[in-house]
Amino acid sequence: MRRILILFVDGVGLGLDDADTNPFVAANTPNLTMLMSGRKLVSNQQAISHNKFSFVPVDACMGVDGIPQSATGQATIMTGVNIPAYIGKHWGPKPSEEIRILLQSNNILKAISSNNHSVGLANAYPPAFLQQLQSGRRLPSSIQFAFQTVGTTFSNIEDLRRGHALAADFTGEGLQYHLGFEDIPILSLHEAGKRLVLLAQKTDLLLFDCWQTDVVGHRGTMSAAIDTVERLDAVVGGMLFSWCESDGLIVIVSDHGNLEDKTTRRHTRNKVPVLLFGDDHSSVAASINDLSDIAPALIKYLEQ
Ligand SMILES: [Zn+2]
């Protein structure tokens, strides 16, 4: 049985090979470095495919002027349609009505679930977020909206307590120390990666949405950015440690650049990395050039 685990990392592009401005160069990332056979996640890095792993630099601009944004980038990943070209611009952070209609009409989750495959969103959301989403006071992101189109129930704090979901910061520390959920079990970053794999073994396509990478890209210092990259690397380590070839394919993907260039607090036009690990990674990697190629490649993978 083929399965896919997607770790979506918002705002992660391929920047310059410069430790002063690019936290992916400055950070200590043993797991990503091992995957990349010692090479760096930077803009002049060619595609790699070896043994269990592929890396593809992916175009997030897709022929459209301006700076790529989350709503159009995520909608492109979810639909396989070049949404910025379709609506004539990059748009974000939240999807417009026009983008929501496109997501509603078709997306990878709809395609997969209509074929009797299960889909899931691994994030646990705090009660205030879920209330705001339900009341319409908070608009969903394109990824969240795509899950709403297939009726996915969003996990809450209780699901997190039971080990059925993962906190936005991976560990649960933010919920415990900043939002007052004192009984939230704290995971190590390695354990968080392992939890994603455990959850993915019960779902045909499971996605975890990591948005903190983009927030730190906008607001964080270089040292906060390095810390964010190192945390991400540790989670990836937990995923790789517990993932077997028979578990299927791990896909790490982003919607646009941001975190990789600390000379700016804005998004970038840099390419974004797609990292593929596990079963049949190289044939999936070979069919991906820009963000619109991801959904068709993953649907094809699951249907084979
Ligand atoms: Zn952003």
Side-chain angles (χ1 to χ4, degrees):
M1 180 103 175
R2 291 193 144 185
R3 292 207 170 92
I4 297 172
L5 168 57
I6 301 176
L7 174 58
F8 171 77
V9 285
D10 203 313
V12 170
L14 297 163
L16 295 177
D17 189 357
D18 176 3
D20 290 334
T21 60
N22 185 348
F24 286 89
V25 178
N28 179 25
T29 56
N31 298 296
L32 290 168
T33 304
M34 181 192 67
L35 277 178
M36 297 283 290
S37 302
R39 284 167 279 194
K40 294 172 188 165
L41 274 173
V42 290
S43 56
N44 60 2
Q45 181 59 59
Q46 304 290 310
I48 297 173
S49 201
H50 64 75
N51 195 10
K52 289 185 174 177
F53 172 74
S54 293
F55 156 77
V56 197
V58 167
D59 175 20
C61 298
M62 295 178 287
V64 176
D65 290 343
I67 298 178
Q69 301 295 337
S70 285
T72 38
Q74 292 177 21
T76 300
I77 293 169
M78 299 311 281
T79 59
V81 174
N82 182 342
I83 303 281
Y86 195 93
I87 69 167
K89 63 190 170 201
H90 299 287
W91 181 262
K94 298 297 173 65
S96 59
E97 178 75 18
E98 191 179 16
I99 298 170
R100 289 202 300 273
I101 288 168
L102 290 165
L103 279 162
Q104 183 76 53
S105 72
N106 202 10
N107 65 61
I108 183 174
L109 307 175
K110 282 194 157 185
I112 288 173
S113 37
S114 71
N115 234 339
N116 284 327
H117 291 299
S118 56
V119 300
L121 181 59
N123 294 67
Y125 295 100
F129 173 88
L130 293 172
Q131 281 155 14
Q132 287 167 4
L133 200 62
Q134 203 164 26
S135 68
R137 273 182 295 133
R138 180 190 281 265
L139 287 175
S141 68
S142 286
I143 285 178
Q144 290 163 345
F145 184 77
F147 277 96
Q148 288 179 325
T149 69
V150 291
T152 298
T153 305
F154 287 20
S155 294
N156 59 25
I157 298 295
E158 191 50 37
D159 297 311
L160 181 61
R161 281 195 194 100
R162 290 201 207 111
H164 296 168
L166 199 62
D169 65 354
F170 299 115
T171 60
E173 289 161 291
L175 288 166
Q176 182 171 116
Y177 302 133
H178 301 303
L179 294 182
F181 294 98
E182 287 170 8
D183 59 343
I184 293 290
I186 303 293
L187 301 181
S188 70
L189 294 161
H190 189 86
E191 286 169 337
K194 285 169 73 176
R195 169 156 318 165
L196 276 180
V197 169
L198 266 179
L199 296 174
Q201 286 165 348
K202 299 173 194 155
T203 314
D204 296 321
L205 184 148
L206 185 76
L207 185 147
F208 181 78
D209 177 6
C210 171
W211 44 263
Q212 291 195 323
T213 35
D214 191 55
V215 172
V216 174
H218 286 300
R219 300 187 204 148
T221 60
M222 180 65 175
S223 94
I226 291 170
D227 183 57
T228 300
V229 171
E230 291 182 348
R231 289 172 65 87
L232 181 64
D233 182 77
V235 173
V236 169
M239 291 164 71
L240 302 183
F241 180 80
S242 44
W243 192 259
C244 307
E245 185 104 349
S246 60
D247 286 329
L249 185 67
I250 290 179
V251 183
I252 303 175
V253 60
S254 184
D255 48 358
H256 55 73
N258 181 355
L259 183 63
E260 78 285 0
D261 182 358
K262 291 310 289 174
T263 65
T264 172
R265 290 178 178 270
R266 303 181 68 192
H267 296 174
T268 70
R269 284 179 59 85
N270 288 331
K271 288 189 172 184
V272 298
V274 169
L275 308 176
L276 299 152
F277 179 82
D279 177 43
D280 213 11
H281 61 89
S282 56
S283 52
V284 176
S287 60
I288 297 175
N289 286 306
D290 70 36
L291 291 182
S292 69
D293 299 321
I294 294 169
L298 297 186
I299 290 169
K300 188 173 161 207
Y301 170 82
L302 273 187
E303 303 310 341
Q304 270 172 1

